[in-house]
Amino acid sequence: LKGRLQRALAQRRASEEVGLCARKGTVREHKRKATTQIDLIEGRPVTKSEREKWDSAFARYQLDGEIHVDELKGALVMCGFCDARPTVVQKVLEGLTKFNSLNKAEFYLFVCRFEAGLHET
């Protein structure tokens, strides 16, 4: 059920970004054409615009290709999370790495797991 809800939410986000509308059971694209590429990170669909937000947040807070754990709260706010709960951040970090910094791939995993952690609490 959780997976289906995540996929439905990702499809909804993608359709809003592209400008899709439903009419009489069909989906047609408006004049505005945008390419929406959806990737999967740990089973979570990630749209191109989300990935761009995450990339800009990582670029803003990274040092030598890694982001320090002390900078994660600011990066999460830049990714669009208003509620960067320290308990959820710490829980996700414990399950992800034992080091004090994350590379870009680990940051992507962190954001996905953080969002899932917010929904669990």
Side-chain angles (χ1 to χ4, degrees):
L1 178 64
K2 185 177 177 182
R4 288 188 303 206
L5 289 173
Q6 287 176 339
R7 283 190 296 279
L9 181 61
Q11 288 173 345
R12 182 175 178 192
R13 286 181 190 155
S15 66
E16 288 171 355
E17 290 172 8
V18 175
L20 296 177
C21 68
R23 177 177 264 179
K24 295 183 183 177
T26 63
V27 176
R28 65 179 175 84
E29 192 170 347
H30 283 284
K31 293 177 184 176
R32 176 180 57 152
K33 289 187 178 181
T35 58
T36 303
Q37 184 178 9
I38 298 178
D39 296 326
L40 287 176
I41 298 177
E42 287 203 347
R44 182 204 184 274
V46 178
T47 63
K48 184 178 178 183
S49 65
E50 284 179 316
R51 179 70 71 108
E52 288 171 355
K53 275 190 213 175
W54 298 355
D55 284 338
S56 64
F58 185 83
R60 165 73 174 83
Y61 289 100
Q62 65 91 22
L63 180 65
D64 294 329
E66 293 190 337
I67 188 168
H68 195 271
V69 295
D70 294 339
E71 303 293 335
L72 288 175
K73 183 176 181 177
L76 286 170
V77 169
M78 207 169 162
C79 289
F81 294 99
C82 300
D83 186 15
R85 296 179 193 161
T87 55
V88 178
V89 170
Q90 191 61 36
K91 182 181 174 186
V92 172
L93 282 173
E94 288 172 0
L96 186 63
T97 185
K98 61 182 179 180
F99 300 106
N100 288 331
S101 59
L102 305 173
N103 63 26
K104 189 179 262 190
E106 291 170 332
F107 179 69
Y108 290 156
L109 288 172
F110 171 79
V111 174
C112 289
R113 291 181 184 179
F114 176 80
E115 184 178 41
L118 283 179
H119 294 297
E120 290 176 0
T121 58

